[in-house]
Amino acid sequence: MDIRVQSDTFDLGHEAQVFAQRQQGMGAVVTFSGIVRDNDQTLQAMEIEQYPGMTLSQLQSFSAQARDRFSLGDVLVIHRHGRLKPGDIIMMVATSAPHRVDAFQAAEFLMDYLKSRAPFWKREIAKDGSATWVDAKSSDEDLLDRW
Amino acid sequence: MDVLYFAWVRERIGLPKETIDTSAVTVADLVEELRAREERYAMAFSDISALRVALDQELSEFDAPLDGVREVAFFPPMTGG
């Protein structure tokens, strides 16, 4: 398992490539990445606050749970914090498994937990300087029920 | 014990962390104690259904006991990913 919480950006293509190449006997690699979205062209920046220490231990715990639940090879999670701009990469998850179903499901499991149980908080700063904390969605919370 | 605040809870209270001497038995007792302190605490803790709590960096519940706990954190529902 490779779990990283960092403010620096990272190269999605490079990380995916390195992850895929170090797998042995795995037929499937799934990657998901989250990007800062600016639907109506009003966003200046997104700030991501974290609970240092707890973020890493939570991500490690979800990844360990994913490995218990699914037939997995390996897990990679990278999650950024700090000030990001529209179009910047926020995070990525990669999973490997002998077959695709486990790799897809484990990636979804990790994302569902990451959304609602990892101690990160997003704040949007508009071009006019006003700032708004992003509310958690009940639909994201509901998704946890499927596991 | 150390009490930490994150996101809008931190903004409302006006500080990220403080050390508190308390005899509160549960998290809910601690919340009552904090609420009684000042208006900014009362504001931050006006609706605990909008808040989450972690004890020693593990998610917990408001009726959980504080016995042996060194670090309590209050924050809104998380928005990772």
Side-chain angles (χ1 to χ4, degrees):
Chain A
M1 291 195 315
D2 183 357
I3 316 294
R4 297 178 234 163
V5 178
Q6 62 189 51
S7 57
D8 289 343
T9 191
F10 60 90
D11 184 329
L12 172 65
H14 175 74
E15 295 294 347
Q17 178 78 358
V18 169
F19 180 80
Q21 278 181 347
R22 71 164 183 249
Q23 304 306 318
Q24 291 180 331
M26 296 294 134
V29 167
V30 164
T31 67
F32 172 86
S33 55
I35 310 289
V36 179
R37 192 166 45 128
D38 181 15
N39 281 348
D40 39 17
Q41 311 295 310
T42 57
L43 189 71
Q44 179 188 147
M46 173 178 277
E47 286 179 358
I48 302 179
E49 182 172 336
Q50 63 147 346
Y51 185 166
M54 185 173 166
T55 43
L56 194 62
S57 63
Q58 287 285 96
L59 297 180
Q60 284 167 339
S61 160
F62 306 151
S63 302
Q65 287 173 49
R67 290 179 81 169
D68 287 344
R69 268 190 104 101
F70 307 101
S71 175
L72 279 189
D74 201 3
V75 172
L76 165 68
V77 181
I78 306 175
H79 202 302
R80 295 178 64 195
H81 58 88
R83 192 178 176 96
L84 279 62
K85 297 189 305 297
D88 282 355
I89 192 158
I90 304 171
M91 52 77 57
M92 78 173 286
V93 157
T95 55
S96 69
H99 304 287
R100 73 178 188 283
V101 173
D102 284 296
F104 272 120
Q105 286 198 333
E108 288 219 273
F109 172 89
L110 286 166
M111 282 313 304
D112 287 352
Y113 273 86
L114 226 149
K115 276 261 167 204
S116 304
R117 291 289 183 272
F120 292 102
W121 299 275
K122 294 188 181 121
R123 196 166 78 124
E124 292 178 340
I125 294 104
K127 283 178 178 156
D128 67 8
S130 60
T132 318
W133 290 100
V134 174
D135 282 328
K137 293 193 192 81
S138 59
S139 56
D140 282 336
E141 184 71 27
D142 293 345
L143 282 171
L144 291 177
D145 291 340
R146 60 178 164 162
W147 304 111
Chain B
M1 70 179 63
D2 289 334
V3 183
L4 280 66
Y5 311 108
F6 291 98
W8 58 253
V9 183
R10 171 179 54 71
E11 287 185 336
R12 283 186 196 176
I13 291 174
L15 77 175
K17 179 179 178 176
E18 59 188 322
T19 303
I20 291 179
D21 269 329
T22 178
S23 52
V25 177
T26 66
V27 176
D29 295 338
L30 175 63
V31 168
E32 277 313 308
E33 230 178 82
L34 292 169
R35 266 185 192 146
R37 278 182 156 191
E38 281 179 55
E39 182 57 26
R40 59 195 168 112
Y41 288 93
M43 283 267 294
F45 291 104
S46 60
D47 175 14
I48 59 166
S49 72
L51 293 180
R52 302 289 179 267
V53 61
L55 302 180
D56 289 331
Q57 305 196 356
E58 295 277 351
L59 288 171
S60 189
E61 303 292 336
F62 283 84
D63 58 3
L66 289 174
D67 189 31
V69 171
R70 286 182 298 182
E71 184 173 294
V72 180
F74 295 103
F75 42 79
M78 295 147 275
T79 51

